[in-house]
Amino acid sequence: MSQNVDVSSVLETIQPELSAGKFAAVVEHVSLASPDQTADILERLPERQQPVFYRLLPKDRALAVFDILSPRQQSDLIKGLQNREVVEIFDSLDPDDRALLLDELPANLSTRLLRGLSGDKRRHTTDLLGYPKGSIGRRMSPHVVSTRETYTVGQTLTRIKSRLEDAETIYTIPVVDDARRVVGVVGLRQLLGATPEVMIRDLMSAVHVASAYHCAEDAARLCFELRLLAMPIVDSEGRLLGILTVDDAGRIIEHAETEDTALQGGMEPLGRPYFSTPVRSLVRSRIMWLAVLAVGATLTVHVLSIFETTLEQVTALALFVPLLIGTGGNTGNQAATTVTRALALGDVRGSDLLRVLAREFTVGLTLGALLGTLGAVITGAIFGLSIGRRSG
């Protein structure tokens, strides 16, 4: 049975044990950790020790831990495992998780793993891979239990019981017509509270669906905004393809907000936990933005050199240089944060580039005029209006 353990303490204990080959001691120290805690320990280990640690986990725990990891972390781990272990893990994943993982793997390994799947599993996975990257079609689960409006409650419950093992969720049941077009939805609570003879058409309620080609983040946010346990995913003609659960929607939003936070901080998203990210990747994620800032700072120095004579004549002006640099940096950060957040919410798209530049140019001029006026008033009050004539 798992219980709360001190992850940091366990980590400090098992790292030297892994290096020394004391594997029995490692197993003992992590035996009481929950899958979430075990995943946390795995993510904090050095990259070379992660496959070794993962192989020591019992099979059920290993599969649960693997499901918690991010797709990029899963990809890194798979590259360090033996072929037999990789096939077992890949076969145990849901189709949507397989599709995400395949995006992170080399093409030759992806082909080999797909070839090793059974017919149905391969078909479900390749169907999801047929949708564009970033679409909700790649994130939906095709394992959905549906019913028909002409069925009774008794028939529907029998149908649900026959799919308990593989169904993604049984709490929200899409209702379809004879052409598999979604016409409504019924909840498990309603089914259990009705008599077996009641028709589904008398119980079903209005349904909110998303097209498989819609943006995954938009569909996930809609699922949260409407407070749905699950949302049916349909094709262009409204036919049922799969379902998005609230759990998957939460993971999509968490991943999107992590990327937004990184971009707002002037970094490329890491895609994996901090301790599992190689130093070279950390450097690569930051160097581009820092290079841009360095070029900007160089231009600032050049501007200051132009006014070097003026600064020598009126030394009080040098006091305002940090103020100008700080204000410029804050203004740029505000603009970047505003536009990045608008991009994340879908308010701004790539085709709006010229409109965004025009708006930010207008905002910049207005802010410059207002702050310039305020600065002139404060400077005049402190140093006197003559400072402007002396610097001119």
Side-chain angles (χ1 to χ4, degrees), residues 295-326:
V295 172
T298 302
L299 295 176
T300 301
V301 172
H302 178 65
V303 171
L304 290 176
S305 67
I306 295 175
F307 295 95
E308 185 176 0
T309 304
T310 303
L311 290 172
E312 289 176 352
Q313 294 174 353
V314 187
T315 55
L317 291 177
L319 300 174
F320 295 94
V321 172
L323 173 63
L324 293 173
I325 294 175

Side-chain angles (χ1 to χ4, degrees), residues 68-102:
I68 294 170
L69 302 176
S70 68
R72 188 167 297 179
Q73 179 73 7
Q74 291 176 343
S75 172
D76 293 341
L77 185 59
I78 272 184
K79 293 172 185 176
L81 294 175
Q82 296 177 357
N83 186 62
R84 180 180 57 81
E85 295 168 317
V86 170
V87 171
E88 289 181 358
I89 293 170
F90 191 69
D91 188 74
S92 70
L93 294 175
D94 292 330
D96 52 327
D97 293 328
R98 286 195 208 106
L100 281 177
L101 177 56
L102 289 174

Side-chain angles (χ1 to χ4, degrees), residues 125-321:
T125 304
T126 52
D127 285 348
L128 296 188
L129 290 172
Y131 295 103
K133 286 186 178 182
S135 68
I136 195 60
R138 283 214 177 191
R139 306 301 300 271
M140 69 180 180
S141 172
H143 297 315
V144 53
V145 183
S146 63
T147 186
R148 299 198 177 188
E149 54 186 339
T150 55
Y151 285 1
T152 64
V153 168
Q155 289 174 308
T156 300
L157 288 174
T158 300
R159 187 178 177 87
I160 293 173
K161 289 178 181 178
S162 68
R163 296 285 305 279
L164 284 178
E165 292 297 324
D166 65 337
E168 181 72 14
T169 180
I170 61 170
Y171 300 107
T172 299
I173 310 298
V175 182
V176 299
D177 60 15
D178 292 337
R180 280 192 65 79
R181 288 188 293 264
V182 179
V183 295
V185 69
V186 64
L188 183 62
R189 181 188 294 271
Q190 294 172 282
L191 294 174
L192 294 176
T195 57
E197 298 79 17
V198 174
M199 301 296 292
I200 293 299
R201 68 163 63 95
D202 298 327
L203 287 179
M204 69 181 189
S205 54
V207 61
H208 298 276
V209 301
S211 167
Y213 293 92
H214 282 178
C215 171
E217 184 181 349
D218 291 344
R221 292 191 184 279
L222 179 62
C223 184
F224 262 75
E225 289 170 5
L226 298 176
R227 299 182 179 181
L228 303 176
L229 290 177
M231 176 187 290
I233 307 300
V234 299
D235 63 11
S236 58
E237 297 182 3
R239 290 190 291 260
L240 182 66
L241 295 174
I243 200 162
L244 172 69
T245 64
V246 67
D247 293 340
D248 289 335
R251 282 194 287 269
I252 293 171
I253 293 175
E254 180 183 7
H255 177 73
E257 291 184 345
T258 300
E259 287 191 342
D260 295 341
T261 301
L263 292 173
Q264 289 171 10
M267 298 188 308
E268 293 294 327
L270 296 178
R272 53 170 66 88
Y274 176 81
F275 287 106
S276 298
T277 305
V279 172
R280 63 181 182 277
S281 297
L282 291 173
V283 172
R284 189 166 56 246
S285 70
R286 302 179 189 181
I287 188 62
M288 183 57 67
W289 291 101
L290 290 177
V292 172
L293 293 175
V295 172
T298 302
L299 295 176
T300 301
V301 172
H302 178 65
V303 171
L304 290 176
S305 67
I306 295 175
F307 295 95
E308 185 176 0
T309 304
T310 303
L311 290 172
E312 289 176 352
Q313 294 174 353
V314 187
T315 55
L317 291 177
L319 300 174
F320 295 94
V321 172

